[in-house]
């Protein structure tokens, strides 16, 4: 991919993965500012995205995953698909699935049914239904992500909670003298804002040193990332300190890039990093997620972003090892000490229904050709295609090569828009929402 | 005034209207804006809406399993159908256009809830009110801060936390996970159960603090229940907070999980530093939502939500209003709930009073039927009462209590929480099991008659817990 002179700011464009697709029309060149006809991509039906019944194998055998064997439901027609997302505001060009995800109507209905069951007879639900249902979700997730043991899989609200769980354990290690003041935590400069704050709130506060891996952006290849990562590890080990924790994004949020986690985990092992935590908030349903392949100690991903669960549910995978990691949920209940998965299964009275619909979601995705893998692949192809179309139309560039894109892509905006700060980017985003009916996050790239 | 009808309607309903009163208290003082300084939104609606009818009330709770005698509102609470509908409307708004919702509507919605709560609990400033999932989360917030205090040298190893022996299990574990782990000492206050008066609690509490002082243990934190869970008793929090102040306790945290809608809740009256109550137990909110009140003070430390987001450092209310993508809808329906309770005579105060009167009445009915006793005098009951179970049932452990509860659920379709009380040495034929009965607006006398008859049947059949398999 040839990089043109990078523009100042880039837009994240994420595939509206379930809209019927078309080949874009030339009308896209018409940058009409008519607020009544927002700059929508005029899309026709893309044959591949409609799940026609071919010999599709939804057991993912090629990935060594074992999806649950269930009788196949009928494929989703175009009309079915539209009705599944009919609750989305039809006036909005919703190309920001990455921020808050999306949830089909069928799943919302399933969630309501679970919720109703609880309020119908909550005591009976608590004693007889909740834990077995959470276990069922955990088991399905274990298979999806190629984990070995269901004890390795805990369910939490979101990746932000998962990060707090990991970092709190690190803080205790400092407080209890297992880590020395000045021992390092390495994280990417483009780590998610909440995760950076969490590192500050727990690790810096407890005496840990934080080293950020500076990454170039736009980025051309994995090697650029790997090289900077090695440098950061060296810095962490200086003055006789240890690198206690590496926090690696699987897919960064802003700017969005797929990080070569497998290679970085290997480097961490070679360099004697104590623990590797992969923050993969976007990953499941958006890139390949295989715990044995990646080899991290701890890995978290949201299921409500790209895996059609309602807000909110995430898993936290913690690899079984001889050295117990002793992670605890920060909201302590009577289950304290029974292992993170059990602790997370009861953190006081609340609505657990989003955690219980994972089986229904699997049924839903299996109505698409190729299941979640098929959806993911087509989203990726489409978002790259759309990104290239926009790039050509605007005379800009993509932020990374296609193979470093997931179901999201960074598309350069024309320099003449004059985006000179984070605040400008936010204002432009608001302007696009309010005046054009378009939802798209804008990233400001500082020089 | 007889409140019982043969048709099995709620005891508070007569054929004529909601309450068989000679006159109406339309606007009890709790809703007087001048006395409480609360949002007039609630009082305006008191003026306009008719009181809820029988049929409407039944409809509001029609989703409850009709076969179940549901006398355990205390554990998981209850939520009317119109509030669930309101919650779903909020959820749909989010799903429709989440970016717009989270950027433009969530924060004002939560601020509205916080403002309403501030008025309800007589807090001084809306900045003192944070919304969290439940009292368990609130406890973790307070205790995590204590853990940091040890780690950062503000507390010394061996400094103490004081709590009741009957404190909630999760809170005890939280104390272990944060306070003990960090090097603190935990001192439990014992008090007898059954209990005869609040002075038994006050004197034990005083003794413990005095002993801590004489032993040279600095008491950094007092954890006081407002209404204990099991066994359920109303604790004289105001008096205990005063004792804490006299004894120079650093921080006073009142765990009032049940209190809101179940007893009087007034921050100025009680005077604690931290106070938390669930709104989904007795205040008709859906699961789950609770508030954590933190008294504005120069000396109290900053609290933080353990799930750290980009709002870290902006104060607990703001931190708690964004802890990552999740469903905040239960936190947004508090204004609708205030409207709902205003449709009852006397609003939430009226509901609370009637629940209390009814549960005491039902408790006394059961005590007579079974030949046992209440666990506390009526003035120490809230909307829950502990009713002694016949000794011959042979409840001899916590496990027996749970087995009996399961048996009542499965064979008699009754939901009631059972408490096991270890007998004292020398007690003859002790009452070791107590049923914790609750009364909420949806209960009828039939629920308690069913419980009465079930236990009588067990007794007549010669049942003992030993007969139940594990």
């Amino acid at each position: 991919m040839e990089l043109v002179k990078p523009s100042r700011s880039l837009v994240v464009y994420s595939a509206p993965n379930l809209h019927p697709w078309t080949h874009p029309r030339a009308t896209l060149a018409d940058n009409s500012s008519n607020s009544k006809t927002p700059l929508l991509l005029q899309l026709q039906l893309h044959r591949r995205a409609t799940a026609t019944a071919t010999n599709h194998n939804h057991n993912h055998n090629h990935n060594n995953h074992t999806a649950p064997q269930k009788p196949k439901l009928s494929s989703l027609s175009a009309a079915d698909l539209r009705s599944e997302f009919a609750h989305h505001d039809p006036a909005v060009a919703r190309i920001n699935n990455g921020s808050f995800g999306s949830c089909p109507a069928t799943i919302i209905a399933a969630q309501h049914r679970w919720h109703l069951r609880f309020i119908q007879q909550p005591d009976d639900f608590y004693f007889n239904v909740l834990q077995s249902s959470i276990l069922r979700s955990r088991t399905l997730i274990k298979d999806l992500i190629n984990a070995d043991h269901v004890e390795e899989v805990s369910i939490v609200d979101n990746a932000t909670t998962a990060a707090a769980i990991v970092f709190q354990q690190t803080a205790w290690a400092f407080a209890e003298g297992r880590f020395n003041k000045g021992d390092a935590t390495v994280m990417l400069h483009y780590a998610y804002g909440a995760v950076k704050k969490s590192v500050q709130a727990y690790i810096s506060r407890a005496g840990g040193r934080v080293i950020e891996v500076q990454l170039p952006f736009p980025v051309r290849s994995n090697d650029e990332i790997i090289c900077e990562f090695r440098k950061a590890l060296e810095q962490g080990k200086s003055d006789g300190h240890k690198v206690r924790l590496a926090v690696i994004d699987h897919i960064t949020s802003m700017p969005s890039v797929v990080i070569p986690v497998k290679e970085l985990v290997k480097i961490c092992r070679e360099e004697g990093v104590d623990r590797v935590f992969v923050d993969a908030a976007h990953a499941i349903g958006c890139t390949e997620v295989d715990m044995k392949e990646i080899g991290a100690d701890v890995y978290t991903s949201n299921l409500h972003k790209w895996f059609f669960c309602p807000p909110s549910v995430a898993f936290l995978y913690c690899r079984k090892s001889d050295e117990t990691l002793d992670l605890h949920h920060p909201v302590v209940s009577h289950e304290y000490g029974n292992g993170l998965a059990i602790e997370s299964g009861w953190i006081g009275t609340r609505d657990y229904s989003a955690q219980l619909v994972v089986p229904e979601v699997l049924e839903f995705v299996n109505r698409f050709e190729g299941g979640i893998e098929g959806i993911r692949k087509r989203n990726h192809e489409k978002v790259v295609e759309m990104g290239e179309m926009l790039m050509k139309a605007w005379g800009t560039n993509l932020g990374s090569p296609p193979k470093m894109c997931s179901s999201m892509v960074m598309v350069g905006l024309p320099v003449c828009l004059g985006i000179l700060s984070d605040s400008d980017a936010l204002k432009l985003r608001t302007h696009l929402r309010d005046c054009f009916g378009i939802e798209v996050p804008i990233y400001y790239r500082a020089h | 005034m007889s409140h019982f009808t043969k048709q099995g309607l709620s005891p508070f309903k007569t054929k004529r209207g909601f309450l068989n009163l000679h006159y109406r208290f339309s606007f009890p003082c709790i809703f007087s804006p001048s006395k409480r300084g609360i949002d007039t939104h609630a009082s305006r609606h008191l003026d306009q809406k008719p009181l809820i009818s029988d049929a409407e009330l039944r409809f509001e709770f029609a989703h409850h399993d009709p076969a179940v005698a549901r006398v355990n509102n205390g554990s998981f609470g209850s939520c009317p159908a119109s509030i669930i509908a309101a919650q779903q409307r909020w959820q749909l708004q989010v799903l429709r256009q989440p970016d717009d919702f989270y950027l433009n509507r969530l924060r004002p919605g939560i601020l509205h809830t916080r403002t309403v709560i501030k008025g309800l609990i007589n807090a001084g400033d809306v900045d003192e009110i944070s919304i969290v999932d439940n009292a368990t989360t609130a406890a973790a917030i307070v205790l995590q801060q204590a853990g940091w205090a040890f780690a950062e040298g503000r507390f010394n190893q061996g400094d103490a936390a004081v709590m009741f022996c009957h404190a909630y299990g999760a809170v005890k574990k939280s104390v272990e996970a944060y306070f003990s782990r960090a090097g603190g000492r935990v001192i439990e206050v014992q008090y007898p159960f059954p209990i005869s008066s609040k002075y038994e609690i006050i004197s034990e509490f005083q003794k413990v603090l005095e002993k801590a002082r004489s032993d040279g243990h600095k008491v950094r934190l007092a954890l006081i229940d407002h209404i204990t869970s099991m066994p359920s008793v109303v604790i004289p929090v105001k008096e205990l907070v005063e004792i804490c102040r006299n004894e120079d306790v650093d921080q006073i945290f009142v765990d009032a999980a049940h209190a809101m809608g179940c007893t009087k809740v007034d921050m100025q009256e009680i005077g604690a530093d931290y106070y938390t109550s669930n709104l989904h137990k007795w205040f008709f909110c859906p699961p789950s939502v609770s508030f954590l009140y933190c008294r504005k003070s120069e000396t109290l430390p900053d609290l933080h939500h353990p799930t750290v987001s980009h709002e870290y450092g902006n104060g607990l209310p703001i931190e708690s209003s964004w802890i990552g993508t999740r469903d905040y809808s239960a936190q947004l329906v508090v204004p609708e709930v205030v409207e709902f309770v205003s449709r009852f005579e006397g609003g939430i105060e009226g509901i609370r009073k009637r629940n209390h009167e009814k549960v005491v009445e039902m408790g006394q009915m059961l005590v007579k039927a079974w030949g046992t006793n209440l666990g506390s005098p009526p003035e120490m009951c809230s909307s829950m009462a502990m009713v002694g179970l016949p000794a011959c049932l042979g409840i001899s452990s916590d496990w027996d209590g749970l087995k009996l509860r399961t048996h009542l659920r499965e064979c008699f379709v009754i939901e009631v929480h059972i408490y096991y009380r270890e007998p004292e040495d020398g007690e003859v034929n002790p009452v070791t099991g107590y049923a914790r009965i609750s009364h909420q607006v949806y209960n009828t006398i039939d629920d308690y008659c069913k419980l009465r008859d079930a236990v009588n049947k067990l007794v007549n059949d010669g049942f003992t817990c030993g007969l139940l398999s594990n």
Side-chain angles (χ1 to χ4, degrees), chain B residues 223-268:
Chain B
L223 292 103
I224 306 174
D225 300 73
H226 196 157
I227 305 174
T228 44
S229 178
M230 282 302 238
S232 187
V233 166
V234 179
I235 303 291
V237 286
K238 185 177 168 173
E239 290 90 324
L240 299 187
V241 168
E242 258 186 61
I243 293 171
C244 288
R245 297 294 180 213
N246 295 337
E247 292 288 334
D248 214 21
V249 172
D250 278 24
Q251 300 173 21
I252 306 165
F253 169 44
V254 175
D255 172 9
H258 284 272
M260 192 75 181
C262 193
T263 190
K264 279 183 158 157
V265 174
D266 184 324
M267 296 301 97
Q268 309 307 322

Side-chain angles (χ1 to χ4, degrees), chain A residues 184 209 211-212 230-239 243:
Chain A
R209 194 162 52 109
I211 295 164
E212 289 193 356
R230 279 195 190 280
K231 276 196 240 167
L233 286 187
E234 281 309 309
Q235 209 188 329
K237 285 156 73 175
S238 64
D239 303 329
V243 178

Side-chain angles (χ1 to χ4, degrees), chain B residues 42 46 58 83 98 102-103 166 169 189 250 254 264 266-267 320 322 410 463:
Chain B
L46 275 174
R58 269 194 301 266
I83 301 302
Y102 288 127
L103 289 166
H166 296 306
V189 179
D250 278 24
V254 175
K264 279 183 158 157
D266 184 324
M267 296 301 97
S320 306
W322 186 257
E410 289 175 1
F463 167 92

Side-chain angles (χ1 to χ4, degrees), chain B residues 152 171 218 244-245 284 312 365 372 383 395-396 436 459:
Chain B
E152 294 169 341
V171 175
K218 175 85 184 121
C244 288
R245 297 294 180 213
F284 303 105
Y312 180 71
M365 183 265 284
T372 57
S383 304
I395 301 154
S396 53
R436 184 186 78 181
V459 167

Side-chain angles (χ1 to χ4, degrees), chain B residues 312-416:
Chain B
Y312 180 71
N314 292 336
L316 183 65
I318 302 300
E319 288 184 13
S320 306
S321 71
W322 186 257
I323 51 172
T325 300
R326 61 199 299 273
D327 182 358
Y328 294 90
S329 61
Q331 304 184 0
L332 302 172
V333 296
V334 173
E336 284 95 326
V337 169
V338 167
E339 260 192 57
F340 173 79
V341 302
S342 74
R343 298 190 63 204
F344 290 78
E345 180 117 16
I348 192 64
E349 266 304 293
I351 292 172
R352 185 184 71 68
K353 281 192 177 124
R354 287 185 295 273
N355 278 341
H356 169 73
E357 285 160 12
K358 265 298 154 208
V359 88
V360 167
E361 191 180 331
M362 295 299 98
Q364 284 165 344
M365 183 265 284
L366 292 170
V367 150
K368 278 201 186 77
W370 298 338
T372 57
N373 56 279
L374 290 182
S376 71
E379 70 270 15
M380 293 183 77
C381 299
S382 56
S383 304
M384 296 178 286
M386 301 300 290
V387 185
L389 288 160
C392 59
L393 293 181
I395 301 154
S396 53
S397 64
D398 289 330
W399 186 232
D400 278 348
L402 188 58
K403 283 194 299 184
L404 177 58
R405 177 179 181 178
T406 307
H407 187 68
L408 285 168
R409 180 187 310 119
E410 289 175 1
C411 302
F412 293 89
V413 202
I414 297 167
E415 192 58 58
V416 65

Side-chain angles (χ1 to χ4, degrees), chain A residues 49-113:
Chain A
T50 58
T52 50
T54 56
N55 295 330
H56 87 258
N57 173 2
H58 62 99
N59 286 337
H60 311 285
N61 287 338
H62 56 288
N63 278 340
N64 291 330
H65 296 185
T66 49
Q69 299 284 341
K70 288 198 92 176
K72 195 167 95 62
L73 289 173
S74 65
S75 314
L76 274 174
S77 68
D80 287 337
L81 193 51
R82 272 192 298 269
S83 104
E84 287 287 1
F85 292 93
H87 54 277
H88 287 192
D89 187 340
V92 175
R94 185 167 163 148
I95 50 180
N96 185 27
N97 195 76
S99 280
F100 302 110
S102 47
C103 184
T106 306
I107 303 302
I108 294 164
Q111 187 190 18
H112 286 167
R113 286 194 301 274

Side-chain angles (χ1 to χ4, degrees), chain A residues 210-230:
Chain A
V210 181
I211 295 164
E212 289 193 356
V213 180
Q214 301 300 322
L215 295 179
F217 188 78
V219 64
R220 290 170 226 257
S221 76
N222 286 341
D223 290 336
E224 292 184 324
I225 297 174
I226 290 168
C227 172
E228 290 299 323
F229 191 77
R230 279 195 190 280

